[in-house]
Amino acid sequence: GAVVSQHPSWVICKSGTSVKIECRSLDFQATTMFWYRQFPKQSLMLMATSNEGSKATYEQGVEKDKFLINHASLTLSTLTVTSAHPEDSSFYICSAGTGWRGYTFGSGTRLTVV
Amino acid sequence: SQQGEEDPQALSIQEGENATMNCSYKTSINNLQWYRQNSGRGLVHLILIRSNEREKHSGRLRVTLDTSKKSSSLLITASRAADTASYFCATGPNSKLTFGKGITLSVRP
């Protein structure tokens, strides 16, 4: 079945630094990947849609300069949290797939900004 | 805004009992999906029910959909401790899933 690998699974960084999270489709090519954010005991909120070879589409209220998304290949999308602050601490989850085979979620990345 | 709203928000049952979770949504849908999330992990797709279906089974899972009431239920029969997790309903195309707040299910051994 479709496997999506997300790395790292957890990261702690200092305020002001940038953190990159990777989302890889291991056994298929993903033309589209999605990035979600989840606060403790809350639902997932879609942040942006990452399209291979083109700019990401951000949801309302999500700062594109804050959350940089790059989808340079059909198997890799990256989310970079720039100049991270404690309020950026959250659980970030990606999903990947194609329209015909559905979408699979990564295992998530716990970001803690101190 | 969130499309799906699950209830109850938390459910605690004894192993072997059945667990029923409900989800209500606001707008018309083509399908509704249920996902499971273990603590601190990603989501696992459980089941998808289309708008023209009323009931669907998968192993110990049974999902119903009532489009007239804009609601769905997820029944887990003969629950196990390993079923302890958060469960979310989601609507919308895969290109833009909208999740409910989730139900925390605790199954006591």
Side-chain angles (χ1 to χ4, degrees), chain A residues 34 36 38 42-46 49 59 91 93 102-103 105-107 110, chain B residues 1-2 35 37 40-43 45 88 94-97 99-102:
Chain A
F34 305 95
Y36 293 83
Q38 184 181 31
Q42 294 198 23
S43 185
L44 281 77
M45 300 299 292
L46 179 65
T49 302
E59 295 301 303
F91 193 60
I93 308 176
Y103 292 84
F105 285 81
S107 57
R110 171 77 57 195
Chain B
S1 61
Q2 289 171 330
Y35 287 83
Q37 182 181 34
R41 303 300 300 271
L43 271 70
H45 181 262
F88 295 88
N94 276 318
S95 57
K96 199 151 186 171
L97 284 176
F99 289 86
K101 293 182 179 179

Side-chain angles (χ1 to χ4, degrees), chain B:
Chain B
S1 61
Q2 289 171 330
Q3 165 79 309
E5 293 287 339
E6 298 95 340
D7 79 87
Q9 291 190 347
L11 181 62
S12 180
I13 60 174
Q14 198 73 35
E15 200 167 30
E17 294 179 339
N18 295 342
T20 300
M21 292 166 271
N22 302 302
C23 166
S24 60
Y25 57 91
K26 297 175 183 175
T27 62
S28 297
I29 60 170
N30 291 321
N31 62 68
L32 183 143
Q33 304 182 52
W34 283 91
Y35 287 83
R36 166 195 169 126
Q37 182 181 34
N38 285 57
S39 180
R41 303 300 300 271
L43 271 70
V44 174
H45 181 262
L46 295 177
I47 196 164
L48 179 152
I49 186 165
R50 302 187 191 284
S51 59
N52 61 352
E53 297 175 307
R54 291 296 168 259
E55 187 171 312
K56 200 164 181 178
H57 296 253
S58 177
R60 292 185 296 114
L61 304 180
R62 175 180 153 235
V63 170
T64 63
L65 179 64
D66 187 335
T67 52
S68 66
K69 295 181 180 178
K70 291 187 168 59
S71 67
S72 172
S73 69
L74 171 67
L75 168 68
I76 303 175
T77 60
S79 65
R80 305 166 182 170
D83 294 329
T84 295
S86 292
Y87 292 83
F88 295 88
C89 66
T91 58
N94 276 318
S95 57
K96 199 151 186 171
L97 284 176
T98 302
F99 289 86
K101 293 182 179 179
I103 299 169
T104 300
L105 173 65
S106 298
V107 181
R108 304 185 301 273

Side-chain angles (χ1 to χ4, degrees), chain A residues 27-46:
Chain A
D27 53 355
F28 66 99
Q29 293 182 328
T31 53
T32 305
M33 294 184 176
F34 305 95
W35 289 95
Y36 293 83
R37 182 174 181 173
Q38 184 181 31
F39 290 104
K41 299 189 184 303
Q42 294 198 23
S43 185
L44 281 77
M45 300 299 292
L46 179 65

Side-chain angles (χ1 to χ4, degrees), chain A residues 14-33:
Chain A
K14 292 184 178 179
S15 284
T17 62
S18 295
V19 173
K20 181 184 286 187
I21 303 170
E22 294 186 347
C23 182
R24 292 181 185 273
S25 56
L26 298 186
D27 53 355
F28 66 99
Q29 293 182 328
T31 53
T32 305
M33 294 184 176

